[in-house]
Amino acid sequence: KELSKWRPEVIELWEKCSVPETINKETFQKSFIRHVNTTLARSIYNVDNFSAYQATAHAVRDRLIQRWNETQQIHTERDQKRVYYLSLEFLLGRSLDNALLNLGLKDSFGEGVKELGFKMEDILDQEVDAALGNGGLGRLAACYMDSLATLCYPAWGYGVRYTYGIFQQKIVDGYQDEFPDYWLNFDNPWELPRVDIVVDVQFGGHVNKITEGDKVRHEWIGGETVQAVAYDVPIPGYGVKNCINIRLWNSKPRRKFDFGKFNAGEYDQAVQEQMKAEFLTAVLYPNDNHMVGKELRLKQQYFWVAASLHDIVRRFKKSQRDWNEFPDQVAIQLNDTHPALAIVELQRILVDEERLDWDAAWDIVTHTFAFTNHTVLPEAMEKWPVPMISQLLPRHIQIIFDLNLFFLQRVEKFAPGDRDFLARLSIIEESTPQYVRMAHLAIVGSHRVNGVAKLHSKLIKETIFKDFVKYYGPDKFENKTNGITPRRWLHQANPKLSELITETLGHKDWLKDLTLLKKLEESVHDKEFRRRWMAVKHSNKVRLAEYIRDVVDVDVNPNALFDVQVKRIHEYKRQFMNILGVIHRYNTIKSMSPEQMRDVVPRVVIFGGKAAPGYYIAKLVIKLINSVASVVNKDSTIQDLLKVIFIPDYNVSVAEIIIPASDISQHISTAGTEASGTSNMKFVLNCGLILGTVDGANIEIHEEIGDDNIFMFGHLAEQVDDLRYAHRYRDVPMDPHLDAVIKDIESGSFGEARIFAPLINTLTFGKDYYLISDDFGSYLDAQKLVDEAYKKEKDWVKKSILCTANMGQFSSDRAIKEYAESIWGIIPVKV
Ligand code: T68
């Protein structure tokens, strides 16, 4: 129909000209030079590495756009059910290397730039990370996009285009300092601005109640309007032509300028309102696993949800289907509760705008949404004050109360007279002021709820969502253990290991079916293979040692055991326990005779991670690590047997250097607190062993790789309540080794003791909520086992091989297939 307006010869010409050119070294070079000359307006006389990066990126982008277009066309033509992944965070990292590998262009482009006088590594190094996320949750969304594209599912991501990503961390005098991440400073070749796709989003105003015959309807007249502009980020699949889309929304003032104010001489105020609109998507809130009740955050959430739903509904309406087919065409996944307002927004659109009756609309809504929970920590549970929502979204708060009323009426029938049960399930917390519990809203509005690892999914059913399980029955609640993409986290981050695996298995299919790694087990008895495996690890350690020298100016020995803990700094993740263990190790070595020292395995203990800017205790942990590092690293009496490194500004690109170089990594959260963890998977896939607690995905990794290849310690989740109770109400003696370490800090061995007093108080006056004292003994024992095992080199390499070989389950491809089949009901559409 659309084509009929063109004459046949025009269509023919169009088709002739749009045949994609073949891609090889020569066509790449032409495209590179054309972009230098035209896109960058430079010439051979002034191309530096950065311009070379830009030109290469643009050459790749041209190809991505072709694939993106084809994919969108075919998905539109087929009009099959799509999944929309709503995530307030996408932690994508760099794109160039990933795109080259996924498109299979790495070799030809590498040669191409070399002939033009550049090194591919230098070019890749120019790219700044897209860091639109805090940690695990945002990175998970990025891995899932990679798998959705690779598995050819019809899928879109929806997020926010923050002007500032997660802050940059610098260490000044041992303390964390934050700097803005203005990542869009230079042009971003990985986004396609869609200036024509603009959605008006309203806030505030009032609601009109309109009576028509015996019917009442509501009309929301917004007070303030902000525009959402779409920026599309193409995500190429690996080894397929499919290229999916993440649509990020940017806020912008409405084109309409308040000339009334302007003419009244209030020019500055008129401009200020415009600027306020731009500020809406300016910054990513830098807190992970912690709720911050800022009004601007709530505004961000609604802005993004409203723009995304408008887009989704518009796409659905093009097919002119009946509304009750909506859930057959659309699945929406809520990545945590951040997009939970989408449930209310869809109900509002269906009832107020499309004039469906309430129950029919609610049936559509609940069959459309599914919700992933990522935490059981109480301080992370989102709840918003009713007065704040009322002011910002007056119609939505009415809908929330109505939804809650009808929901509680059903619950009342289920448990007549049980008022406590009703109060516990209610979407509204009856405090002063009242709060809206977003997790409750997400559960009530979804047909499926899932946790992110087996233990976590069990815990949510037994604790925070226990009453909902009683009401809905257990089938609404599922487990979907997280996964990681092997393309970025092995092939790209660890090219040497990837090559060795491909050579050994005789194919690259393992990159699409990670369970094929199992066959590596057969090679553990091959001495030459083991030698090469070790050599790869060693060269990755050399690469990290060079990086460490560059960023913190400390020399570390690549033959030492590299012991790594990199993740957001949080009390529940217990970096504090790690550094206390380091002090214990340091004091033990210091008390040794030269003879005894000969038997010690040299260690480099590496930390990295950001603390939320307002998280005082977490920031003190960073200071303590750096204070210990500065004492230990210059103590010549310990003969380089111990080094402590804090790598600043941990992000996706830095992770790609650190992870392949680890011998042991630590995942030591208090049992029951880390929902899953995903870096644990990355480390083990990269043949690093782990030292961990019985928590999150550690448990399933343990099941897969076996007892001999992992170091587990500490109390179990089911013991935690009793232990906490004991700390609270009884005088529990502190672990003696821990006591000695604390006394050492208090004596000023690592700088002024008073600095660390608040930190130490968390163990004493704070009643050791994270049970460091309870686990310290078994932690030190496990560390001893690590040292002993590392001395047996041959066995260690075998363990390391078995780690990689048994990680097949933890591919994000497996996770995405599970979501697609049991929650979304979508099928692949291959381009
Ligand atoms: C993480 N959560 C979990 N949250 O902590 C981790 N929170 O165990 C899990 O593996 C991962 O999610 C993926 O499932 C987060 O990363 C956040 O970053 C976050 C951000 C904003 C508000 C609350």
Side-chain angles (χ1 to χ4, degrees):
K1 201 173 77 206
E2 298 279 323
L3 276 180
S4 59
K5 64 182 172 201
W6 301 108
R7 279 177 289 129
E9 52 276 29
V10 175
I11 297 175
E12 202 181 311
L13 176 64
W14 195 275
E15 276 170 1
K16 204 175 97 199
C17 295
S18 55
V19 176
E21 54 176 342
T22 47
I23 321 172
N24 54 35
K25 190 183 70 186
E26 286 74 28
T27 51
F28 160 67
Q29 288 171 333
K30 272 193 195 159
S31 154
F32 177 98
I33 290 170
R34 184 169 53 79
H35 280 299
V36 170
N37 290 336
T38 58
T39 312
L40 308 176
R42 286 178 179 247
S43 71
I44 189 169
Y45 303 108
N46 60 354
V47 229
D48 51 11
N49 276 332
F50 185 67
S51 328
Y53 156 70
Q54 286 179 301
T56 310
H58 275 280
V60 173
R61 168 196 162 111
D62 293 344
R63 273 75 196 176
L64 278 183
I65 293 177
Q66 272 167 7
R67 288 172 182 230
W68 186 94
N69 273 330
E70 268 179 63
T71 309
Q72 298 319 319
Q73 240 170 54
I74 288 195
H75 286 175
T76 307
E77 256 166 47
R78 296 283 181 86
D79 200 22
Q80 282 177 9
K81 185 170 184 180
R82 286 194 178 93
V83 65
Y84 297 100
Y85 196 81
L86 266 56
S87 180
L88 205 38
E89 307 188 3
F90 287 94
L91 196 43
L92 294 168
R94 289 175 173 167
S95 288
L96 178 55
D97 200 20
N98 186 252
L100 287 171
L101 287 167
N102 280 11
L103 268 52
L105 300 176
K106 184 95 191 254
D107 293 340
S108 56
F109 280 33
E111 273 174 47
V113 292
K114 198 167 151 201
E115 287 180 9
L116 290 164
F118 295 93
K119 275 210 245 140
M120 192 48 120
E121 302 88 86
D122 297 342
I123 290 181
L124 295 176
D125 226 25
Q126 299 297 313
E127 184 172 355
V128 290
D129 275 39
L132 307 184
N134 275 284
L137 173 148
R139 183 54 231 179
L140 185 76
C143 284
Y144 281 179
M145 287 297 122
D146 181 89
S147 285
L148 283 164
T150 301
L151 297 171
C152 302
Y153 283 114
W156 276 48
Y158 276 106
V160 172
R161 181 180 181 268
Y162 302 105
T163 317
Y164 296 90
I166 188 72
F167 64 88
Q168 281 179 10
Q169 177 194 56
K170 291 190 182 152
I171 302 299
V172 180
D173 191 24
Y175 290 99
Q176 165 175 300
D177 214 348
E178 300 96 22
F179 292 82
D181 168 49
Y182 192 51
W183 69 298
L184 297 169
N185 219 340
F186 302 95
D187 119 290
N188 172 16
W190 307 111
E191 63 182 14
L192 320 170
R194 297 270 162 185
V195 285
D196 53 325
I197 300 179
V198 182
V199 180
D200 280 346
V201 179
Q202 307 195 322
F203 295 99
H206 63 276
V207 179
N208 292 330
K209 196 167 162 184
I210 302 160
T211 312
E212 284 165 351
D214 58 347
K215 284 203 169 145
V216 177
R217 63 182 183 86
H218 296 84
E219 182 188 42
W220 174 29
I221 309 295
E224 174 196 1
T225 303
V226 180
Q227 287 192 329
V229 186
Y231 285 74
D232 288 345
V233 181
I235 304 292
Y238 171 79
V240 288
K241 282 195 157 179
N242 288 51
C243 180
I244 62 170
N245 190 28
I246 304 180
R247 178 157 287 175
L248 301 180
W249 297 106
N250 196 43
S251 65
K252 192 181 100 159
R254 209 150 49 132
R255 279 176 298 250
K256 230 163 69 193
F257 189 73
D258 191 341
F259 280 99
K261 279 201 179 119
F262 180 72
N263 291 331
E266 295 168 30
Y267 176 71
D268 49 348
Q269 210 188 321
V271 174
Q272 245 173 39
E273 266 159 37
Q274 302 252 321
M275 282 171 61
K276 233 174 65 192
E278 292 191 35
F279 194 66
L280 194 48
T281 53
V283 342
L284 163 75
Y285 278 88
N287 310 285
D288 76 307
N289 281 300
H290 190 79
M291 154 85 189
V292 180
K294 290 276 196 302
E295 189 190 58
L296 185 64
R297 166 84 170 183
L298 182 63
K299 267 185 114 168
Q300 278 185 344
Q301 293 185 346
Y302 178 68
F303 166 81
W304 151 65
V305 152
S308 306
L309 268 183
H310 181 92
D311 216 36
I312 294 167
V313 166
R314 180 184 52 79
R315 201 166 296 123
F316 172 78
K317 283 170 95 170
K318 275 208 284 196
S319 68
Q320 303 197 320
R321 292 169 193 261
D322 199 76
W323 277 110
N324 58 31
E325 287 179 62
F326 192 81
D328 305 328
Q329 291 301 107
V330 175
I332 302 180
Q333 189 66 31
L334 306 173
N335 197 23
D336 216 299
T337 54
H338 317 148
L341 281 172
I343 289 166
V344 190
E345 175 70 358
L346 183 58
Q347 181 73 5
R348 186 191 68 80
I349 293 172
L350 295 178
V351 173
D352 291 2
E353 293 180 5
E354 302 297 334
R355 315 276 173 95
L356 268 66
D357 77 52
W358 181 276
D359 290 337
W362 187 238
D363 196 55
I364 293 169
V365 170
T366 50
H367 283 89
T368 300
F369 287 98
F371 157 52
T372 306
N373 167 277
H374 293 267
T375 184
V376 295
L377 300 184
E379 69 271 26
M381 293 299 152
E382 269 197 305
K383 50 180 197 175
W384 291 102
V386 166
M388 192 190 279
I389 301 187
S390 305
Q391 232 216 344
L392 223 51
L393 304 166
R395 177 58 183 143
H396 293 75
I397 199 71
Q398 293 178 341
I399 294 176
I400 291 172
F401 273 97
D402 285 349
L403 287 176
N404 196 40
L405 174 69
F406 301 139
F407 169 61
L408 292 182
Q409 282 172 347
R410 293 190 295 271
V411 177
E412 158 72 27
K413 285 207 185 99
F414 172 84
D418 190 344
R419 296 193 55 144
D420 286 343
F421 188 63
L422 245 62
R424 290 202 302 274
L425 281 167
S426 175
I427 297 172
I428 305 297
E429 182 181 293
E430 295 297 345
S431 45
T432 322
Q434 294 173 306
Y435 278 91
V436 177
R437 300 158 163 165
M438 302 308 268
H440 291 211
L441 174 60
I443 296 172
V444 173
S446 298
H447 63 107
R448 282 290 187 287
V449 177
N450 76 280
V452 290
K454 273 190 209 160
L455 172 68
H456 169 65
S457 298
K458 180 171 107 83
L459 286 178
I460 59 177
K461 290 214 259 181
E462 291 170 355
T463 61
I464 50 175
F465 302 152
K466 183 172 78 189
D467 294 314
F468 286 99
V469 175
K470 239 185 240 161
Y471 173 66
Y472 286 112
D475 293 351
K476 181 165 176 162
F477 299 82
E478 292 187 5
N479 173 243
K480 294 282 166 284
T481 298
N482 285 165
I484 55 167
T485 167
R487 272 75 64 179
R488 181 176 292 262
W489 295 111
L490 208 175
H491 189 41
Q492 185 186 325
N494 199 343
K496 289 190 172 134
L497 193 65
S498 173
E499 220 171 281
L500 178 57
I501 292 172
T502 299
E503 192 191 311
T504 308
L505 299 181
H507 58 74
K508 273 191 176 174
D509 299 349
W510 61 273
L511 277 167
K512 289 200 137 204
D513 176 0
L514 204 62
T515 60
L516 298 175
L517 291 179
K518 186 82 179 163
K519 216 165 155 35
L520 289 173
E521 280 192 343
E522 293 168 15
S523 303
V524 289
H525 302 296
D526 176 345
K527 200 170 163 195
E528 173 59 11
F529 177 75
R530 287 201 307 268
R531 189 195 59 73
R532 293 178 69 191
W533 191 268
M534 283 272 284
V536 169
K537 179 62 80 183
H538 190 262
S539 81
N540 288 330
K541 288 168 76 175
V542 170
R543 174 171 76 156
L544 176 56
E546 283 165 4
Y547 183 77
I548 289 174
R549 184 166 346 104
D550 283 353
V551 295
V552 292
D553 199 24
V554 178
D555 279 312
V556 298
N557 173 8
N559 294 312
L561 189 163
F562 278 21
D563 167 348
V564 181
Q565 189 180 17
V566 285
K567 45 182 87 234
R568 288 297 293 253
I569 313 288
H570 213 297
E571 283 169 283
Y572 84 82
K573 295 178 191 276
R574 300 199 293 193
Q575 285 93 352
F576 187 28
M577 183 164 79
N578 185 350
I579 194 65
L580 294 168
V582 169
I583 297 173
H584 172 80
R585 175 177 293 268
Y586 174 58
N587 289 337
T588 309
I589 298 173
K590 274 184 88 71
S591 69
M592 284 178 172
S593 67
E595 239 105 277
Q596 289 171 313
M597 280 198 197
R598 229 166 286 150
D599 207 31
V600 174
V601 178
R603 253 203 216 219
V604 181
V605 185
I606 298 161
F607 293 86
K610 293 172 185 174
Y615 193 168
Y616 175 64
I617 291 293
K619 291 175 107 172
L620 261 191
V621 171
I622 295 178
K623 171 65 178 169
L624 179 61
I625 294 169
N626 284 306
S627 299
V628 173
S630 67
V631 171
V632 169
N633 294 347
K634 55 176 186 259
D635 185 343
S636 57
T637 67
I638 58 162
Q639 303 176 2
D640 275 359
L641 290 174
L642 182 62
K643 287 273 185 267
V644 180
I645 305 294
F646 188 93
I647 297 181
D649 203 34
Y650 179 65
N651 62 19
V652 172
S653 304
V654 176
E656 288 169 17
I657 301 171
I658 296 175
I659 291 170
S662 125
D663 293 308
I664 244 320
S665 67
Q666 300 199 31
H667 309 273
I668 56 177
S669 47
T670 312
T673 61
E674 188 69 275
S676 163
T678 41
S679 78
N680 42 7
M681 302 170 187
K682 295 166 196 166
F683 280 100
V684 182
L685 182 61
N686 281 280
C687 67
L689 276 59
I690 65 183
L691 166 59
T693 44
V694 188
D695 200 16
N698 292 353
I699 298 169
E700 288 153 78
I701 294 174
H702 181 188
E703 279 171 17
E704 292 296 313
I705 67 178
D707 270 343
D708 290 343
N709 307 311
I710 189 165
F711 301 91
M712 300 283 272
F713 73 95
H715 286 90
L716 306 180
E718 53 264 37
Q719 300 173 299
V720 165
D721 279 347
D722 289 346
L723 292 169
R724 281 185 179 155
Y725 185 88
H727 278 289
R728 208 170 251 278
Y729 298 108
R730 278 181 247 129
D731 209 10
V732 187
M734 187 179 268
D735 174 276
H737 291 301
L738 180 61
D739 193 48
V741 169
I742 296 298
K743 295 220 161 80
D744 192 24
I745 299 173
E746 285 176 337
S747 76
S749 297
F750 305 99
E752 274 184 84
R754 65 169 178 87
I755 298 176
F756 303 113
L759 193 51
I760 289 170
N761 283 346
T762 64
L763 299 179
T764 50
F765 296 118
K767 308 291 185 189
D768 196 8
Y769 188 73
Y770 295 101
L771 306 178
I772 290 180
S773 176
D774 304 85
D775 281 348
F776 202 65
S778 67
Y779 176 58
L780 296 184
D781 291 343
Q783 286 282 23
K784 269 190 209 143
L785 294 178
V786 172
D787 285 316
E788 290 313 309
Y790 195 71
K791 287 180 192 166
K792 302 186 189 121
E793 200 180 298
K794 183 172 151 192
D795 288 348
W796 185 275
V797 193
K798 284 186 183 170
K799 290 178 200 296
S800 152
I801 296 167
L802 291 176
C803 275
T804 305
N806 287 294
M807 285 301 285
Q809 279 310 310
F810 300 97
S811 167
S812 44
D813 296 345
R814 186 269 314 148
I816 282 299
K817 269 186 216 147
E818 287 181 10
Y819 276 99
E821 283 161 20
S822 89
I823 299 182
W824 303 331
I826 52 168
I827 49 172
V829 180
K830 197 167 173 175
V831 175

